[in-house]
């Protein structure tokens, strides 16, 4: 496995920390800027919706850029956004910083995913995707707990300053270590969206939006939820978020390997059954420290195993052009989660977030079943596995 792919994952860690750290500093932002917890949660919405809108547009505008240069520029833009957030002393300027950082992430993640898949043979594509997304899971392992643990000491400004430094450091290393890769033929915005006319692609993208909405409507507000269910705060909450991140790292890499072995659809069926069960029982498992720890590890593992089969399924259906659209779908779901979760908190209370999430997860499971019943997609997966077996046999 090329070490360069892990470096691409390090860049994903930098932009992922920028995306997820808000969950850990919500109380600090709310207190220091004198805004409600729900308003602070909209910082996640600003980032996510900017990413969702920016990913396909910016991918088109930068289509002629040499790939290494594009990755470096994306990291620098993400660093600039976090620097603005670090200097912000009011809510509007903090929003601006989040938007700028999101644009950098919107360029980086799809480009890094395609860069990684080009470095490995087809039979290892799922693992290549998993490594890049592994950077995002490490952002959960370190970034969100760091926000929770360091926020009271450094403030949100200090946390965003640290992220700025990480993004700049990774950009410098990538500039030195990655090879130059010329851009693929330019794709227009119309061509980029052409795949959406395929009903199967529509279902996959809907699955992504709803699955992320289910997960993040709970996760963005996990700190107040843990306080509500078990009275947990401070360092204990930070350690529990660390456990979630550990589960996420394990799940992400297992998801890639299982996808390569059993195919996307089989993997997704098993994962969605497990995710639905975990979400449906959160109101019971989050009532004690031990129960919360076990639940968060399992939940993180299952949730983050979801990305590799989804990405691989889209590659099977339409190739790399769909990757940026799926990135938009991920962040659209994340952006909506802060809004939807905030509405649930304001109307019926934070304790009802798992109820909403489990209901959405059931819908996703239904969509997976609809794809499972599609004979054309089953044939695509059979051909992929036959090709992988042929390539492996030829190599031996």
């Amino acid at each position: 496995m090329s070490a360069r792919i892990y470096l691409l994952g390090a860049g994903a860690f930098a932009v992922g920390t920028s995306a997820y750290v808000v969950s850990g500093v919500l109380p600090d932002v709310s207190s220091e800027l004198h805004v409600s917890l729900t308003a602070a949660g909209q910082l996640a919405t600003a980032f996510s919706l900017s990413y969702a809108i920016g990913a396909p547009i910016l991918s088109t505008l930068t289509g002629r850029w040499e790939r290494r240069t594009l990755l470096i520029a994306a990291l620098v833009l993400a660093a600039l956004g976090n620097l603005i957030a670090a200097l912000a002393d009011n809510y509007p300027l903090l929003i601006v910083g989040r938007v700028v950082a999101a644009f950098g992430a919107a360029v980086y993640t799809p480009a890094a995913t395609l860069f990684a898949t080009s470095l490995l043979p087809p039979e290892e594509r799922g693992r290549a995707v998993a490594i890049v997304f592994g950077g995002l899971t490490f952002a959960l392992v370190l970034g969100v707990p760091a926000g929770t643990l360091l926020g009271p000491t450094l403030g949100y400004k200090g946390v965003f300053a640290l992220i700025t430094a990480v993004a700049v450091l990774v950009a410098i290393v990538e500039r030195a270590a990655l090879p130059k890769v010329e851009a693929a033929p330019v794709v227009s915005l119309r061509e980029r969206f052409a795949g959406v006319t395929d009903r199967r692609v529509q279902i996959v993208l809907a699955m992504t939006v709803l699955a992320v909405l289910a997960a993040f409507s709970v996760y963005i507000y996990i700190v107040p939820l843990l306080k509500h269910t078990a009275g947990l705060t401070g360092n204990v909450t930070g350690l529990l978020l660390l456990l979630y991140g550990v589960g996420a790292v394990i799940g992400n890499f297992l998801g890639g390997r299982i996808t390569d072995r059993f195919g996307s659809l089989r993997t997704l069926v098993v994962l969605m059954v497990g995710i639905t069960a975990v979400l449906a029982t959160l109101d019971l498992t989050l009532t004690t420290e031990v129960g919360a720890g076990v639940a968060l590890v399992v939940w993180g593992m299952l949730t983050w195993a979801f990305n590799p089969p989804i990405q691989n399924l889209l590659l099977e259906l339409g190739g790399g052009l769909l990757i940026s659209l799926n990135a938009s779908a991920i962040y659209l779901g994340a952006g909506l989660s802060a809004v939807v979760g905030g509405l649930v908190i304001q109307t019926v209370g934070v304790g009802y977030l798992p109820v909403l999430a489990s209901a959405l997860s059931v819908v996703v499971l239904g969509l997976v079943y609809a794809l499972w019943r599609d004979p054309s997609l089953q044939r695509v997966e059979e051909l992929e596995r036959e090709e992988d077996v042929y390539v492996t046999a030829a190599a031996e």
Side-chain angles (χ1 to χ4, degrees), residues 20-204:
Y20 302 131
V21 75
V22 168
S23 297
V25 298
L26 283 184
D28 185 55
V29 171
S30 176
S31 174
E32 189 163 339
L33 296 184
H34 307 291
V35 297
S36 68
L37 190 63
T38 300
Q42 303 319 304
L43 293 172
T45 303
F47 186 101
S48 299
L49 294 184
S50 298
Y51 187 114
I53 296 169
I57 296 174
L58 293 173
S59 294
T60 301
L61 293 176
T62 58
R64 290 187 172 88
W65 290 32
E66 185 270 318
R67 299 293 94 180
R68 185 182 67 179
T69 300
L70 179 61
L71 292 174
I72 304 309
L75 286 171
V76 170
L77 186 60
L80 176 61
N82 284 289
L83 179 60
I84 293 172
L87 298 174
D89 56 2
N90 59 73
Y91 186 76
L93 186 57
L94 188 52
I95 289 287
V96 170
R98 298 295 291 163
V99 170
V100 173
F103 286 157
V107 174
Y108 184 87
T109 306
T113 301
L114 293 177
F115 200 115
T117 57
S118 71
L119 297 178
L120 293 177
E123 68 272 14
E124 297 182 15
R125 190 169 56 193
R127 273 171 280 182
V129 172
I131 289 171
V132 174
F133 272 83
L136 300 179
T137 59
F138 273 109
L140 286 173
V141 171
L142 299 177
V144 177
T148 302
L149 296 173
L150 298 178
T153 303
L154 301 180
Y156 71 86
K157 295 181 179 181
V159 172
F160 284 121
L162 284 177
I163 300 171
T164 301
V166 171
V168 170
L169 176 61
V170 174
I172 293 171
V173 176
E174 286 194 358
R175 175 64 178 79
L178 291 180
K180 285 188 175 182
V181 175
E182 294 304 317
V186 178
V187 179
S188 69
L189 198 59
R190 176 178 295 181
E191 291 172 314
R192 193 172 295 277
F193 280 95
V196 181
T197 59
D198 188 330
R199 182 187 63 87
R200 299 168 302 175
V201 173
Q202 294 170 2
I203 292 176
V204 175

Side-chain angles (χ1 to χ4, degrees), residues 136-379:
L136 300 179
T137 59
F138 273 109
L140 286 173
V141 171
L142 299 177
V144 177
T148 302
L149 296 173
L150 298 178
T153 303
L154 301 180
Y156 71 86
K157 295 181 179 181
V159 172
F160 284 121
L162 284 177
I163 300 171
T164 301
V166 171
V168 170
L169 176 61
V170 174
I172 293 171
V173 176
E174 286 194 358
R175 175 64 178 79
L178 291 180
K180 285 188 175 182
V181 175
E182 294 304 317
V186 178
V187 179
S188 69
L189 198 59
R190 176 178 295 181
E191 291 172 314
R192 193 172 295 277
F193 280 95
V196 181
T197 59
D198 188 330
R199 182 187 63 87
R200 299 168 302 175
V201 173
Q202 294 170 2
I203 292 176
V204 175
L205 294 177
M207 286 165 49
T208 296
V209 172
L210 294 175
V212 173
L213 176 57
F216 277 83
S217 61
V218 177
Y219 188 77
I220 286 176
Y221 298 102
I222 191 66
V223 173
L225 179 62
L226 287 169
K227 184 177 181 179
H228 170 79
T229 56
L232 302 177
T233 59
N235 291 342
V236 173
T237 300
L239 291 174
L240 289 173
L241 291 175
L242 180 62
L243 289 177
Y244 176 93
V246 169
V249 171
I250 296 171
N252 183 71
F253 284 100
L254 285 180
R257 291 183 178 275
I258 294 170
T259 298
D260 287 338
R261 176 65 179 85
F262 296 103
S264 303
L265 286 176
R266 287 180 175 83
T267 303
L268 285 169
V269 169
V270 174
L271 289 176
M272 287 314 305
V273 169
I275 290 170
T276 302
V278 170
L279 290 173
T281 55
L282 281 181
D283 60 334
L284 300 176
T285 56
L286 296 187
T287 55
T288 65
E289 292 182 14
V290 174
V294 173
L296 289 175
V297 168
V298 175
W299 182 32
M301 185 168 59
L302 294 173
T303 297
W304 282 83
F306 181 85
N307 284 314
I310 283 288
Q311 299 275 44
N312 196 61
L313 189 55
L314 288 170
L315 288 171
E316 292 169 355
L317 288 173
L321 291 180
L322 297 176
I323 294 298
S324 65
L325 295 181
N326 191 61
S328 293
I330 290 172
Y331 281 90
L332 176 60
L336 292 174
S337 64
V339 177
V340 173
L343 289 174
V344 171
I345 291 173
Q346 288 181 332
T347 54
V348 292
V350 69
Y352 283 86
L353 289 176
V355 177
L356 167 70
S358 58
L360 290 170
S361 196
V362 169
V363 176
V364 177
L365 184 57
L367 293 175
V368 175
Y369 180 73
L371 286 177
W372 181 268
R373 300 271 296 180
D374 190 320
S376 66
L377 190 52
Q378 291 180 10
R379 181 57 182 158

